[in-house]
């Protein structure tokens, strides 16, 4: 296979999908064990860019940064089963999650809707870690009802001028680029007047204000746009077609945030804690652990179904909400069991640098927002009720 020029200096890929699952698992395990840099493992919170950058660079150098992108575009081209194995092996090792909004969300969207020039420019920059992306969708009055957004973009000659505010933007302070939904026509139905824009975070008029989460980490931020000018070509798709892209991207996002990695990680902590506390052989605990482990096995299967749809280009379907609900509620149930096992230490947040496998309080807090971000459980249940079960409004 001819390698595209931007990864010409990387070692050539084998055809991962031609390997047996056992061979690929051994390769993934060896990869993470021999390439993981000297940065925290089993980190409970998202590491900031300066901390996680060496791991991103190691993955990028080897061509392993974009598991599901086609190999022709610099990805690994993994099928669903292999992707799951990769997640499992990285989780087992406790590898940190890299800044992946570019690889998981924007990249696939540009492949579908971007111009050739946008693909040629942005995809390699994502692969090399030169552009770190933030997702600028939510606003103070537009979360579940995203189409109510009020940020505007007005055309002025060869530029768009953006004014407004975004909130809850994950790792926005680490990003040098944001994709932003903005209203470009106020006279039409609210979904019909939205466009999808690519905004450099260092453009004059962009202000970022960090927000601390319950764990005390500045995980997300608010972004203010005050007369921000971007080139007219920084629009993806047609003017006023942003809603179509927003929905396509949310489909990818829901598959990704339904990935079993968080639950798998938490179940590993539960096992470690139970062994350390002498509960591992307790029949009542074993019963509860077995239920959680079996639910995780079901989640793996469900995830594989949706990754397979992504790989084959089949529609993801409104039913993808079930994956996100299942993953986030399972993660919360495991975190609650972890609190039981931690006993009198349940409420104690471990100091930085402590053995995070036993950080019950941190896991519990980290699990709370998963039923909110990427679409709240309540709203997803509404969607499932209408779109999949045909229940009346
Ligand atoms: C950790 C985290 C990271 C995030 N990262 C990003 C990011 O990177 N980029 C980004 O753009 N956004 C991000 N978000 C925002 C996220 O997408 C929104 O929080 C989410 O869409 C919910 O919107 P909201 O917070 O405005 O809540 P609201 O929409 O105000 O909802 C409040 C409550 O009302 C319920 N509710 C609302 N409407 C209905 C209804 N019709 N029927 C029943 N119940 C309803 C909701 O379920 C919820 O319980 C993040 C959020 C979190 C918590």
């Amino acid at each position: 296979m001819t390698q595209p020029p931007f990864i010409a200096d990387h070692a050539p890929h084998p055809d991962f999908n031609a390997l047996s699952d056992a061979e690929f698992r051994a390769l993934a395990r060896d990869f993470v064990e021999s390439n993981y840099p000297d940065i925290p493992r089993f980190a409970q919170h998202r590491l900031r860019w300066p901390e996680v950058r060496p791991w991103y660079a190691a993955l990028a150098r080897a061509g392993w940064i974009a598991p599901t992108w086609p190999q022709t575009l610099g990805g690994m081209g993994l099928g669903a089963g292999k992707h799951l194995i990769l997640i499992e092996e990285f989780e087992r090792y406790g590898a940190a999650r890299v800044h992946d909004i570019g690889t998981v969300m924007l990249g696939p969207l540009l492949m579908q809707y971007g111009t050739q020039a946008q693909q040629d420019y942005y995809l390699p920059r994502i692969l090399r870690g030169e552009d770190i992306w933030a997702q600028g969708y939510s606003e103070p009055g537009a979360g579940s009802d995203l189409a109510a957004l009020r940020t505007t973009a007005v055309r002025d000659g060869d530029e768009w001028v953006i004014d407004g505010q975004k909130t809850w933007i994950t790792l926005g302070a680490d990003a040098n680029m944001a994709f932003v939904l903005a209203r470009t026509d106020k006279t039409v139905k609210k979904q019909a007047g939205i466009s999808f824009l690519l905004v450099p975070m260092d453009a004059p008029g962009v202000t970022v204000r960090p927000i601390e989460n319950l764990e005390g980490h500045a995980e997300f931020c608010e972004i203010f746009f005050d007369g921000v000018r971007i080139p007219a070509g920084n629009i993806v798709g047609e003017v006023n077609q942003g809603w179509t892209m927003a929905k396509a991207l949310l489909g990818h996002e829901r598959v990704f945030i339904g990935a079993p990695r968080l639950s798998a990680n938490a179940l590993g902590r539960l096992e470690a804690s139970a062994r350390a506390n002498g509960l591992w052989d307790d029949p009542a605990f074993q019963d509860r652990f077995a239920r959680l482990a079996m639910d995780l096995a079901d989640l793996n299967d469900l995830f594989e179904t949706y990754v397979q749809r992504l790989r084959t280009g089949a529609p993801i379907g409104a039913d993808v909400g079930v994956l996100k609900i299942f993953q986030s509620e399972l993660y919360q149930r495991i975190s609650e069991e972890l609190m039981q096992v931690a006993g009198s230490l349940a409420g104690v947040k471990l100091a930085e640098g402590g053995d995070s496998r036993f950080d019950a309080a941190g896991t519990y807090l980290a699990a709370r927002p998963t039923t909110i971000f990427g679409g709240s459980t309540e709203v997803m249940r509404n969607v499932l009720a209408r779109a999949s079960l045909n229940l009346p409004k």
Side-chain angles (χ1 to χ4, degrees):
M1 193 195 89
T2 332
Q3 297 289 343
F6 52 86
I7 56 164
D9 55 339
H10 295 158
H13 301 153
D15 178 359
F16 296 112
N17 293 311
L19 300 174
S20 72
D21 284 357
E23 285 168 333
F24 181 70
R25 186 178 292 283
L27 182 65
R29 188 172 298 183
D30 181 57
F31 180 90
V32 68
E33 286 175 1
S34 37
N35 288 291
Y36 196 74
D38 185 19
I39 63 172
R41 290 167 59 192
F42 298 100
Q44 190 57 251
H45 58 277
R46 297 290 300 267
L47 299 185
R48 300 300 299 272
W49 176 238
E51 297 171 288
V52 84
R53 183 183 201 142
W55 179 219
Y56 197 111
L59 290 162
R61 261 197 312 277
W64 282 50
I65 194 66
T68 59
W69 290 19
Q71 284 193 302
T72 46
L73 292 176
M76 297 173 80
L78 294 189
K82 297 278 190 302
H83 186 205
L84 202 50
I85 291 170
L86 187 74
I87 291 175
E88 281 170 5
E89 287 307 317
F90 283 15
E91 278 311 314
R92 185 196 306 274
Y93 193 75
R97 181 175 163 193
V98 293
H99 288 39
D100 48 21
I101 289 178
T103 50
V104 171
M105 294 195 212
L106 186 70
L109 190 92
L110 286 181
M111 289 173 208
Q112 201 175 352
Y113 293 103
T115 61
Q116 192 61 48
Q118 287 169 339
Q119 294 180 16
D120 291 346
Y121 181 73
Y122 289 113
L123 298 182
R125 292 178 63 82
I126 293 171
L127 291 175
R128 291 194 295 250
E130 285 168 9
D131 284 342
I132 297 304
W133 286 88
Q135 179 189 24
Y137 275 20
S138 306
E139 300 186 6
S144 300
D145 185 12
L146 184 57
L149 62 88
R150 292 202 305 217
T151 294
T152 56
V154 176
R155 186 70 185 257
D156 181 21
D158 285 344
E159 294 176 323
W160 291 102
V161 184
I162 307 174
D163 284 281
Q165 178 190 355
K166 298 288 170 181
T167 191
W168 311 125
I169 308 305
T170 300
L171 299 172
D174 289 352
N176 66 322
M177 292 293 297
F179 51 88
V180 169
L181 290 178
R183 187 157 301 288
T184 37
D185 188 345
K186 291 180 180 167
T187 64
V188 290
K189 195 167 95 108
K190 57 184 183 176
Q191 282 88 351
I194 293 172
S195 298
F196 189 102
L197 302 162
L198 308 178
V199 185
M201 296 288 281
D202 63 357
V206 175
T207 307
V208 173
R209 192 187 294 162
I211 306 174
E212 263 191 18
N213 67 13
L214 269 176
E215 287 184 89
H217 299 293
E219 181 194 0
F220 29 45
C221 63
E222 293 175 289
I223 305 179
F224 298 87
F225 302 99
D226 186 9
V228 175
R229 290 180 170 269
I230 58 166
N234 281 25
I235 189 166
V236 182
E238 303 293 319
V239 177
N240 293 336
Q241 294 301 308
W243 191 247
T244 308
M245 280 168 283
K247 280 196 306 186
L249 190 136
L250 284 176
H252 290 286
E253 181 183 4
R254 278 169 194 163
V255 175
F256 183 73
I257 58 186
R261 65 190 306 277
L262 293 171
S263 293
N265 185 315
L267 200 72
R269 285 167 205 269
L270 183 57
E271 178 175 343
S273 297
R275 287 187 188 279
N277 290 2
L279 269 174
W280 184 245
D281 296 322
D282 176 77
F285 172 79
Q286 282 180 342
D287 183 47
R288 295 196 299 275
F289 186 88
R291 280 171 205 274
L292 295 170
M294 284 191 293
D295 284 346
L296 180 60
D298 286 343
L299 176 65
N300 283 344
D301 287 347
L302 196 62
F303 178 64
E304 196 161 337
T305 307
Y306 287 99
V307 175
Q308 194 60 30
R309 284 193 199 170
L310 277 183
R311 294 282 318 147
T312 56
I316 295 169
D319 53 16
V320 68
V322 82
L323 180 66
K324 205 252 166 180
I325 294 172
F326 194 166
Q327 139 61 24
S328 51
E329 293 188 348
L330 176 59
Y331 183 32
Q332 291 185 350
R333 280 195 288 132
I334 298 173
S335 77
E336 282 151 21
E337 184 62 34
L338 203 53
M339 293 290 267
Q340 296 300 325
V341 169
S344 60
L345 292 176
V348 180
K349 175 87 181 73
L350 282 188
E352 289 297 326
D355 186 338
S356 63
R357 282 173 306 163
F358 305 118
D359 186 3
T363 308
Y364 182 82
L365 290 177
R368 295 304 99 192
T370 56
T371 45
I372 301 171
F373 62 62
S376 73
T377 294
E378 294 81 1
V379 170
M380 291 228 183
R381 285 192 200 279
N382 284 350
V383 173
L384 283 172
R386 281 200 303 276
S388 297
L389 304 174
N390 281 325
L391 294 176
K393 267 193 181 182

